[in-house]
Amino acid sequence: MNNTPSPPPASDAPRRTIDIVNASLKRRYARERRFRRLGAFAVALGLSFVVLLFTDIVSKGYTAFAQTYIQLPLNLSAEVIDPSGSREPATLAAANYTKLIRDALRQQFPDLTERQALRRLYALVSVGAGDLVREQVLAEPALIGTTPELWVLADDDIDMLVKGNIDRTAAPEDRRVSDETIGWVTQLEQQGRVAKRFNTIFLTHGTSREPELAGIAGALMGSFYTLLLTLLLSFPIGVGAALYLEEFAPKNRWTDLIEVNINNLAAVPSIVFGLLGLAVFIGFFGIPRSTPLVAALVMTIMTLPTIIIASRVALKSVPPSIREAALGVGASALQTQFHHVLPLALPGMLTGAIIGMARALGESAPLLMIGMIAFIVDIPSGFTDSATVLPVQIFLWADSPERAFVERTSAAIIVLLAFLFLMNLAAVLLRRKFERRW
Amino acid sequence: MNKTLLTSAVAVAMTLLSGQALAARDTINIVGSSTVFPFSTAVAETFGRTGKFNTPKVESTGTGGGMKLFCGGVGVDHPDITNASRQMKASEFENCQKAGVTEITEVKIGFDGIAIANAKSAKQLDLSLKDIFLALAKDVPDSSGKFVPNPNKTWKDVNSALPDTKIEVLGPPPTSGTRDAFVELAMEGGCNSIPVIKALKKSDEKLHKAVCGGVREDGAYVEAGENDNLIVQKLSSNKNALGIFGYSFLDQNTDKVQGSKIAGVAPSYDAISDGSYPVSRSIYFYVKNAHVGTIPGIKEFVSEFTNDKAWGPEGYLADKGLISLPDADRTSVAKSARALTPMSKPE
């Protein structure tokens, strides 16, 4: 538009076309180069943002996969833990393991006697350390009667101190950990009793208000159940709808209307589906709140348009000759679809479904309305157990004041991104492997 | 082959779903305020750790949303306890009654203070609620009583006893509960101390509400995000700025920031606990008595919450930032809570 053709040169002989082309050639090449460069720049800019995001998250989050433990010789004497000698799990579970840990800590610092100072000393280990030792003893009753050197979970402040997130050289009033505590930790470190070990709690436990005890297993299972049910519901319905609309439905005003509506639904903000779920599934059908079941129903409605649209595109890309050949040798319309068209379109449909699932995995807005923003410690074991999902867990942790939740938030994001990456990779691989070109 | 597989899968799924859905609930369901959420979850977790009962499920729905769910009715579909950062309203109580939720136990658990703080290196301010209103309101009355956009640029413009520094206050955005409480406690308290506005309450309540609740948008009040930690950080790098955040964050960062005195009272644990610090509110939870006995563990949960080990001044909730009730109140509230004494209709 900007180059309005200049008036033809008024001069002498008529110019030949080739001259005009040659004259403009340089400009046209330059324009193409410019466009390519802009494109490359756009890609580079996008990539650099992705790299920035990933480095930021990974650099903040990777430390959460290690957790500080303190090695203490625990006196697991049979008289204390199992006075009757029966080795019954109920008796073993009832023993006071926290006291054993505290005794062991006091042994390390025998000069401390004052009650307040001892309380501060006991704060070196996590409030959940006793429970973890109990699990260990229950799993390995042979430990009873011995004094094993066990690794005891440290408190989150100590964890932050050991990881260097609390500056030991700062003025005492500028940090959360007192000089006294740092002295104790340093002494334990010199004895080699402090170590960072792989944080299995993060991957095997449900959430907690104590950062050192908080894990993503609960949210992960919640996401798993929700997605599984979403896939089971939305894929058959989506494929069925696409098949009918594309292959069987008469083309008239009604189907046009339906098509427009499906396309519109794909663009509806997800919170709207949450409101719908609240009114219909919880309000009308009485499905319990905060369950993967109700979340999956909402997610199904949300992903259906994506799956239907992708499936219709996949069906469209199957050449008509396949259908004609099948019909030609006497197959019924249904046989044509199920024996010939559907298998060829399936890879495309699966890709669409996986992309829809990936979106559902990262979605949190519709879940606000149906009670998934909740503190749920127990790991869900079914579709009707209370559960939360990964993005919501990330949101809840990001809101917590404890400093150790910063790295755990980032670590949870890493896990979520890893799953999203795997799902999208699966979509690409499926397409590569099964795609047929004609 | 495929068909049988599909049919059996559907059958299994159906039985799984219906079986679980119909079973009686054995986990306490708690809903309500996000302000009480950190305390409620801490108690829930400790309660679950004893191993006798399941860990209660705590949802963060906001006080109003929690009341709505709580007053929805009696039965396993409805929550057992709701948390509230204010007292139950009379209208909510009536809704509860209509839905058959007749006996409700009110448990006041403590206080939540809001601090207005500046960097430790700056001078501590002594503000009145009127100063706060005049500094932060969107519209203030001029000498003739007409409302004009807030002309005050420095604290000295507001009150000649205050220093001649620019008004710059970092606070939470309107989506935050802290902001609501701040507007309600500080701004409204301040604006009612101005006679012109107080008179307005009778003549034009709508305008009164708009004037009292309007926070200026010309840059003197900076919305610094929901994250209170961030506000604390920004204060320590900007000596002239003030910040508004929950008392628990002041308590955690006494090395970096100091709370301004309000009407002569500094925000301290004791001042908030005895009610002399004006910008504080009580927080509550409400128990549905009809569910006690049906849902296991409600009584025990109330006992755990009202135990000094939890809500006492030395308890684990104090570590999470709760300000305990005074000793005498704590004993009496605990007694009536454990006896599940039903509340009467609030005014």
Side-chain angles (χ1 to χ4, degrees), chain A residues 256-379:
Chain A
D256 282 349
L257 190 71
I258 291 173
E259 184 165 352
V260 168
N261 271 306
I262 289 173
N263 290 339
N264 269 341
L265 271 182
V268 165
S270 52
I271 186 89
V272 175
F273 293 108
L275 285 165
L276 180 86
L278 178 67
V280 175
F281 299 128
I282 295 178
F284 188 70
F285 289 108
I287 297 171
R289 289 168 68 84
S290 344
T291 53
L293 174 60
V294 68
L297 289 171
V298 169
M299 292 296 188
T300 299
I301 303 184
M302 200 190 79
T303 49
L304 262 181
T306 318
I307 295 180
I308 294 176
I309 292 169
S311 299
R312 291 187 71 174
V313 171
L315 285 170
K316 270 195 194 113
S317 70
V318 176
S321 57
I322 303 268
R323 295 180 185 86
E324 283 152 14
L327 292 171
V329 295
S332 73
L334 202 65
Q335 283 172 329
T336 307
Q337 294 304 329
F338 279 88
H339 295 180
H340 302 281
V341 178
L342 201 57
L344 289 170
L346 210 55
M349 294 175 168
L350 276 177
T351 311
I354 292 175
I355 288 170
M357 289 302 114
R359 189 181 157 205
L361 174 65
E363 195 59 74
S364 62
L367 305 180
L368 286 170
M369 311 307 303
I370 54 172
M372 302 290 270
I373 311 284
F375 176 77
I376 293 153
V377 173
D378 300 317
I379 297 171

Side-chain angles (χ1 to χ4, degrees), chain A residues 88-93 97 133-141 143:
Chain A
E88 264 180 35
T91 328
L92 297 187
Y97 293 93
V133 172
R134 174 190 299 141
E135 281 170 26
Q136 223 169 331
V137 171
L138 281 174
E140 212 179 327
L143 286 173

Side-chain angles (χ1 to χ4, degrees), chain B residues 41 99 126 210 346:
Chain B
T41 49
D126 186 350

Side-chain angles (χ1 to χ4, degrees), chain A residues 215-231:
Chain A
I216 49 163
L220 214 53
M221 286 314 286
S223 279
F224 170 75
Y225 285 121
T226 306
L227 281 191
L228 183 71
L229 202 56
T230 308
L231 186 66

Side-chain angles (χ1 to χ4, degrees), chain A residues 119 127 131 173-176 208-210 213 289-290 293 371 373-378 383-384 386 401-402, chain B residues 17 20-21 37-38 41-42 44-45 49 54-61 69 227 229 249 252 255 314 320:
Chain A
R119 268 186 67 156
V127 290
D131 297 316
E173 67 270 15
D174 284 350
R175 51 177 141 82
R176 268 182 64 76
S208 167
R209 289 284 301 142
E210 307 298 328
L213 292 171
R289 289 168 68 84
S290 344
L293 174 60
I373 311 284
F375 176 77
I376 293 153
V377 173
D378 300 317
F383 294 112
T384 51
S386 295
E402 289 87 356
Chain B
L17 294 179
Q20 282 187 6
F37 183 77
T41 49
E45 191 179 348
R49 208 177 281 147
N54 289 345
T55 308
K57 180 185 93 180
V58 188
E59 264 184 60
S60 169
T61 61
L69 289 166
N227 196 326
N229 275 319
F249 287 86
Q252 295 261 333
D255 49 316
E314 304 262 294
K320 301 268 174 221

Side-chain angles (χ1 to χ4, degrees), chain A residues 47-112:
Chain A
L47 272 181
S48 63
F49 281 132
V50 171
V51 168
L52 193 73
L53 179 76
F54 273 59
T55 26
D56 182 55
I57 291 169
V58 171
S59 66
K60 271 189 198 148
Y62 79 98
T63 46
F65 291 102
Q67 165 69 37
T68 307
Y69 283 79
I70 302 172
Q71 193 184 36
L72 291 172
L74 293 191
N75 181 14
L76 302 174
S77 73
E79 297 90 73
V80 180
I81 296 177
D82 189 14
S84 61
S86 63
R87 294 288 190 271
E88 264 180 35
T91 328
L92 297 187
N96 189 348
Y97 293 93
T98 309
K99 186 173 174 296
L100 291 177
I101 294 171
R102 291 183 172 177
D103 289 345
L105 263 177
R106 210 163 46 214
Q107 263 176 36
Q108 299 296 317
F109 302 96
D111 353 321
L112 283 178

